[in-house]
Structures are given as C-alpha cells and as structure tokens.
Amino acid sequence: ISGKIEAELSQLDPEEAKVFLSDLGLTEPGLNRVIREAYGLLGYITYFTAGEQEVRAWNIIEGTPAPAAAGVIHSDIERGFIRAEVTAFADVQAAGSQKAAQEAGKMRLEGKEYIVKDGDVVSFRFNV
C-alpha cells in the first residue's frame, strides 16, 4: 500500500479514481483491502437493517446469534426478541429491492438460535 497513491486517490472524483486505479493495474484502493483484512482478523461481519428512510450496517462478531445481534441496535430489542425476518443481501441485490426479494419468497423467519451471517438484511420483531 502506497500512502502517496492513497492520498492522490482521495483527491480524485470517483470516475477519475477508477481510471487511475485501472492504469495502476488495481481494482480497488489499498484502504479497502486494509479494512477487509482488519475485519477478518478481528472476526467481524456486517449485517444490515433497512427501512423506508435508511439502510444501516451493523458490525458483530462472527457466530453471533440473532438476539445478541439485535442487542447491538438496542438492548430492548434483544430482551424482547421474538424472531428475525432475514433476507440475504445477494437476493436483495438480484431482485432490485428488499420488498421485491420478499415478494419472490427469499425472506425467511429465524428464531433465537439463528446465527446471523455476513450480508444478511434483518428486520427484528420484538415485544417489550
């Protein structure tokens, strides 16, 4: 990783940065690789929550059960956990939206024993 190249990339607009990386024979900035490696070393994965107004990414340790993953958002959600509505990100991307993926039958209901996977799009149902 070259600090000089990373500094130059940060000054370019996205299209120019893409061409610059291509000219160097790279597909992505070095910072992206560092982040991905750090996540791997720490054992982190990312899951998403999506609403009409926003999509959020949440970091958890790999192997985290659904109630504990919900607790990252708020302890009340963990305490009152009922179930998780889970759609794989790849299915959301292929369908074009979370709603379209759900209409295509790609959403599944998971209970307290479910281990959240990297890239899951999750809606937690809870009662406090």
Side-chain angles (χ1 to χ4, degrees):
I1 294 178
S2 166
K4 185 176 180 182
I5 290 172
E6 296 300 313
E8 287 181 38
L9 279 171
S10 71
Q11 307 263 325
L12 301 174
D13 68 54
E15 282 303 313
E16 290 175 330
K18 195 173 186 179
V19 171
F20 184 67
L21 284 170
S22 178
D23 289 347
L24 293 173
L26 301 171
T27 58
E28 66 180 354
L31 181 59
N32 293 7
R33 293 191 312 270
V34 168
I35 292 168
R36 198 171 22 264
E37 285 298 316
Y39 259 58
L41 290 170
L42 294 170
Y44 281 135
I45 63 168
T46 302
Y47 77 92
F48 303 93
T49 55
E52 295 202 19
Q53 297 287 325
E54 74 175 348
V55 174
R56 296 254 344 235
W58 303 90
N59 304 318
I60 57 173
I61 301 293
E62 189 170 11
T64 301
V72 171
I73 299 170
H74 197 284
S75 59
D76 286 347
I77 302 173
E78 181 176 11
R79 191 168 23 111
F81 180 90
I82 297 171
R83 70 173 182 260
E85 297 174 351
V86 181
T87 310
F89 178 75
D91 292 334
V92 172
Q93 194 172 29
S97 72
Q98 184 178 11
K99 184 175 181 174
Q102 289 173 345
E103 289 171 355
K106 299 297 183 177
M107 183 195 73
R108 60 191 188 283
L109 300 177
E110 299 288 354
K112 292 180 179 183
E113 303 301 318
Y114 178 69
I115 303 299
V116 178
K117 297 187 181 38
D118 192 38
D120 279 349
V121 180
V122 184
S123 179
F124 295 105
R125 298 296 174 215
F126 66 100
N127 184 16
V128 178

